[in-house]
Amino acid sequence: MSKQYETVIGLEVHVELATKTKIFCGCSTEFGGAPNTHTCPVCTGMPGSLPVLNKQVVDYALAIAIATQCEVTPVCKFDRKNYFYPDNPQNYQISQLYLPIARNGFVEIETNSGIKKVRIHEMHMEEDAGKLIHDEWDDTSLVDFNRSGVPLVEIVSEPDMRSADEVLAYMEKLRLIIQYLGASDCKLQEGSMRADVNLSVREVGSPSFGTRTEMKNLNSFKAIARAIEAERQRQIEIIEEGGEVIQETRRWDDNKEYSYAMRSKEDAKDYRYFPEPDLVPIVIGEDWIERIRSAQPELRTEKLMRYKKEFDIPEYDAKILTESKHMADLFEATTAICHKPKKVSNWLMVETFRLMKETGTECEELIFSPSHLADLINLAENKTINSTVAKEVFEKIFREDIDPNIYVKEMGLATVNDEEAIEKAAKQAISENPKSVEDYKNGKEKAIGFLVGQTMKTLKGQGNPGIVKEVLYSLLNN
Amino acid sequence: MINLMNVKLISNEMNGNDGNVSNDLTGKEVSMGHRIDDETIEYVGILAKLSLTGQEKEKAKADMEKMLDYIDTLNELDTQGIEPMSHVFPVNNVFRDDVISNGDGSEETLANAPLRKNNEFEVPKTIG
């Protein structure tokens, strides 16, 4: 019988903060600028330049620390981490080793196996490196320093996770907290949220940890799940064959679903950390913490509880709607205008998500205004337009944020309630379809459906379906 | 002088805060009259991305031995009960506001490029 193994996983999550400027200089952090346009002597490590800390970075880091139950370090400071690499113009990264801004926090995650605490070992502020682009044909790499000096918070968990499911739940939890705080947009694909996975395996019941590896270059939740499974298998195979896992950093190639060793993992001493002499310590008093705490927005967990109390919508809907702060904001703003939470939830859950899927739109990219959705809901509710027309109008709102009141008027989409017009159309349908009329009279109830369809066709789909049916029944039965 | 104070600071904090880091720069046991072996100098060279000739290695060894001896001198001071110094100046909380103050700095930045291609630095291919 083969041995049972347990996977032990800890995460280092890097989050790019949503500041306008870099951590130590007044260069823009905007994504996608032409190469090296957002650079200055500070973020390219020119001799004699002096870094000055962006206060917003500390505010965001504190907000994340408080939301993840961390203890804030009353006096924290920066250190230099020395290494040589072309994306690092200073030959050191300004980071925090000895006194990181916060320690000892936790978040609660929920998976199929229940609720579990994942502890946070520490959280520190640091600067991002530049970007290397590798030339396929030439034996060179190109360096763009626009990202150099963009502020990061690194969140280091304890090795508390045991499966890919738990890892994904943990990351999702962090993403939601940080997005709600507005501290980062947390987009894995764009690299504003990155995770390095530290993984080891051990026999079930073993009291000590196995040797761990660190996996880098994980750009999506799917890549993370695949990399965890592959690395678990790789380590188990090594152990089963009597070998030893080497402590090293590996790079995941998601196309090949395979990882390869990058370098043997350096110890902290190899980085020759020392205190950053160009930056003074940061003293964080209770008043500062209190200021951040009192400005803290409602987080997802609290929002969910409030929705349960305030709005009569299914719990499932509440969960989905609050998965993105943008969607939740849209829901609340629309509901505040039309006071129909259930209807708003339905439009978001069904039509909005359908169109998002169809057009590949993310929640954050939705352009329509809450007032237009609210107006549409009112138009449908007071039967000015029927449900088919409402869906068509919504698509226009979704794509172009048109004003539904004006649009319905201009396009003449209002439901025809005029009984005379409906009767005229119904009579036409009856005279043109004697077969259906006969079927109906012979007891085939269903034949009325066809006549309703024909009447609606004459009315360009805008007939009030209730009245159309009523009129047809009375014409046929008399 | 400032540099030496930093070195002293490292050993204080390493003792205090990080059990994984031993209190000398090479990670080896220390005693007065340090000897740096070939392996250590080789490794430090790798970390610094320097290829040293035999002669340079010997010179670097002698330098490093002197530095470590000096740290021992500092370690003779009794620092019991003294709060680790976090900075040499008694100044805290120097910040800037999150306001963009720099424009397109690419020409100035790229003026320092030994090799450039379009708007980027060109370097030997580096992956990892």
Side-chain angles (χ1 to χ4, degrees):
Chain A
M1 173 153 163
S2 68
K3 291 173 187 162
Q4 293 289 308
Y5 290 93
E6 179 179 52
T7 320
V8 176
I9 309 166
L11 244 57
E12 291 165 27
V13 175
H14 287 86
V15 175
E16 263 182 18
L17 298 179
T19 54
K20 293 186 199 71
T21 63
K22 294 187 178 181
I23 183 167
F24 300 123
C25 63
C27 288
S28 167
T29 53
E30 205 179 322
F31 186 75
N36 291 304
T37 48
H38 305 158
T39 57
C40 76
V42 173
C43 58
T44 52
M46 292 299 149
S49 62
L50 269 182
V52 185
L53 180 57
N54 181 346
K55 194 174 186 198
Q56 186 62 52
V57 171
V58 188
D59 283 349
Y60 279 149
L62 281 176
I64 300 171
I66 292 166
T68 52
Q69 326 297 329
C70 284
E71 294 160 15
V72 173
T73 314
V75 180
C76 78
K77 61 184 191 61
F78 286 97
D79 304 290
R80 287 188 182 177
K81 178 182 184 178
N82 298 280
Y83 68 93
F84 301 91
Y85 208 70
D87 64 6
N88 165 20
Q90 298 167 137
N91 290 342
Y92 55 82
Q93 178 194 31
I94 303 180
S95 180
Q96 297 190 295
L97 178 71
Y98 301 114
L99 295 168
I101 187 162
R103 292 189 176 112
N104 301 331
F106 69 88
V107 294
E108 272 184 348
I109 59 165
E110 197 179 344
T111 61
N112 288 337
S113 32
I115 291 176
K116 172 175 181 173
K117 242 183 211 182
V118 176
R119 291 168 303 156
I120 290 169
H121 176 71
E122 62 150 72
M123 185 178 299
H124 58 258
M125 303 178 282
E126 61 186 24
E127 56 180 341
D128 208 344
K131 211 170 210 167
L132 285 172
I133 295 137
H134 309 293
D135 198 307
E136 293 267 345
W137 309 107
D138 220 325
D139 227 17
T140 62
S141 297
L142 300 176
V143 199
D144 172 9
F145 289 117
N146 280 351
R147 203 180 61 184
S148 173
V150 167
L152 297 175
V153 159
E154 178 173 340
I155 303 162
V156 183
S157 83
E158 296 287 353
D160 285 350
M161 288 157 276
R162 297 288 176 269
S163 66
D165 273 357
E166 291 187 356
V167 169
L168 297 188
Y170 170 73
M171 289 198 64
E172 186 66 11
K173 185 82 184 196
L174 284 183
R175 183 181 73 80
L176 281 166
I177 290 173
I178 297 167
Q179 275 184 349
Y180 266 74
L181 292 170
S184 171
D185 57 12
C186 295
K187 286 187 183 159
L188 265 79
Q189 267 79 358
E190 282 181 19
S192 60
M193 185 179 202
R194 285 169 252 162
D196 299 338
V197 172
N198 288 291
L199 185 149
S200 64
V201 296
R202 63 175 170 190
E203 262 186 71
V204 170
S206 161
S208 56
F209 292 132
T211 305
R212 68 187 157 90
T213 60
E214 180 178 342
M215 187 76 69
K216 285 186 181 292
N217 195 37
L218 303 167
N219 303 322
S220 67
F221 283 114
K222 275 189 192 138
I224 290 170
R226 280 194 285 261
I228 287 172
E229 193 39 49
E231 183 57 12
R232 172 189 150 84
Q233 285 306 331
R234 194 187 69 87
Q235 291 189 14
I236 291 174
E237 271 167 36
I238 292 174
I239 294 167
E240 299 262 286
E241 285 165 9
E244 252 178 64
V245 175
I246 302 166
Q247 184 178 334
E248 63 191 356
T249 303
R250 302 180 67 84
R251 187 182 165 90
W252 178 250
D253 185 330
D254 201 45
N255 293 322
K256 296 184 186 142
E257 299 204 18
Y258 171 79
S259 71
Y260 57 90
M262 284 164 74
R263 54 173 188 255
S264 64
K265 172 97 179 129
E266 281 95 350
D267 282 327
K269 68 172 187 288
D270 292 342
Y271 288 116
R272 289 150 293 147
Y273 278 97
F274 65 86
E276 166 59 65
D278 287 342
L279 289 159
V280 297
I282 307 148
V283 178
I284 302 166
E286 267 310 310
D287 50 336
W288 191 348
I289 296 173
E290 206 34 57
R291 181 170 63 75
I292 300 292
R293 197 192 302 278
S294 60
Q296 207 89 319
E298 177 187 47
L299 295 179
R300 201 255 188 141
T301 320
E302 298 149 24
K303 204 181 267 293
L304 259 181
M305 303 226 293
R306 182 166 62 83
Y307 278 22
K308 223 176 188 175
K309 268 190 268 170
E310 252 173 55
F311 305 120
D312 177 25
I313 59 170
E315 197 178 334
Y316 175 78
D317 291 17
K319 272 190 176 166
I320 301 284
L321 291 174
T322 54
E323 251 169 35
S324 141
K325 179 164 189 295
H326 194 89
M327 191 56 87
D329 287 347
L330 204 54
F331 168 74
E332 287 182 46
T334 312
T335 304
I337 301 168
C338 70
H339 307 291
K340 296 184 181 78
K342 225 170 185 163
K343 295 284 167 202
V344 177
S345 168
N346 274 343
W347 278 100
L348 294 176
M349 294 287 296
V350 184
E351 284 304 300
T352 308
F353 277 112
R354 182 181 69 78
L355 287 167
M356 278 167 65
K357 204 170 165 193
E358 209 176 282
T359 55
T361 310
E362 299 283 333
C363 288
E364 290 71 29
E365 296 163 350
L366 292 174
I367 52 148
F368 64 85
S369 41
S371 64
H372 289 163
L373 175 56
D375 288 348
L376 175 75
I377 289 171
N378 286 332
L379 286 171
E381 284 303 289
N382 65 27
K383 305 254 183 313
T384 307
I385 52 175
N386 65 36
S387 64
T388 318
V389 173
K391 278 182 196 164
E392 282 168 30
V393 176
F394 179 72
E395 193 157 339
K396 285 296 255 190
I397 296 177
F398 179 92
R399 288 176 195 274
E400 297 160 40
D401 197 26
I402 51 110
D403 180 328
N405 283 317
I406 295 174
Y407 186 77
V408 164
K409 209 172 275 171
E410 275 178 359
M411 305 299 285
L413 294 175
T415 309
V416 177
N417 290 316
D418 175 0
E419 280 198 40
E420 229 169 90
I422 293 176
E423 198 174 305
K424 201 176 147 205
K427 278 184 178 158
Q428 191 187 331
I430 288 170
S431 69
E432 282 171 6
N433 300 284
K435 174 90 175 64
S436 299
V437 176
E438 207 185 306
D439 285 350
Y440 174 77
K441 293 203 163 150
N442 290 335
K444 222 172 152 189
E445 266 297 308
K446 270 198 202 149
I448 191 114
F450 182 75
L451 293 168
V452 170
Q454 290 305 302
T455 310
M456 283 296 240
K457 205 169 155 190
T458 314
L459 295 166
K460 296 198 189 100
Q462 287 156 238
N464 178 326
I467 301 179
V468 168
K469 251 189 191 168
E470 236 170 72
V471 168
L472 274 171
Y473 275 124
S474 76
L475 286 172
L476 290 170
N477 293 338
N478 297 324
Chain B
M1 194 58 203
I2 286 172
N3 276 339
L4 292 175
M5 290 176 83
N6 282 332
V7 171
K8 175 63 189 156
L9 196 64
I10 293 173
S11 38
N12 261 341
E13 288 185 359
M14 281 177 170
N15 286 334
N17 290 321
D18 197 331
N20 295 326
V21 186
S22 62
N23 75 346
D24 103 317
L25 292 171
T26 63
K28 303 224 165 202
E29 285 298 309
V30 289
S31 63
M32 248 344 219
H34 291 276
R35 297 266 72 90
I36 304 255
D37 58 25
D38 289 342
E39 201 187 318
T40 304
I41 205 78
E42 186 70 28
Y43 187 55
V44 173
I46 290 169
L47 287 176
K49 303 260 196 289
L50 292 173
S51 51
L52 301 170
T53 64
Q55 215 180 350
E56 284 168 330
K57 273 184 202 166
E58 288 310 312
K59 195 166 175 288
K61 260 193 213 172
D63 278 349
M64 285 176 67
E65 283 163 2
K66 264 191 232 159
M67 288 180 218
L68 292 175
D69 286 347
Y70 188 74
I71 288 170
D72 282 347
T73 309
L74 293 173
N75 275 338
E76 282 170 21
L77 283 172
D78 181 8
T79 53
Q80 202 69 37
I82 296 175
E83 183 107 344
M85 184 195 267
S86 45
H87 201 272
V88 291
F89 301 120
V91 182
N92 295 321
N93 293 9
V94 177
F95 302 115
R96 32 172 283 272
D97 290 330
D98 187 25
V99 177
I100 296 175
S101 56
N102 296 339
D104 179 353
S106 56
E107 273 315 312
E108 216 187 339
T109 297
L110 285 155
N112 294 298
L115 269 177
R116 82 184 257 189
K117 193 176 190 180
N118 304 324
N119 229 17
E120 295 180 84
F121 288 79
E122 194 176 348
V123 297
K125 193 163 192 166
T126 325
I127 299 184

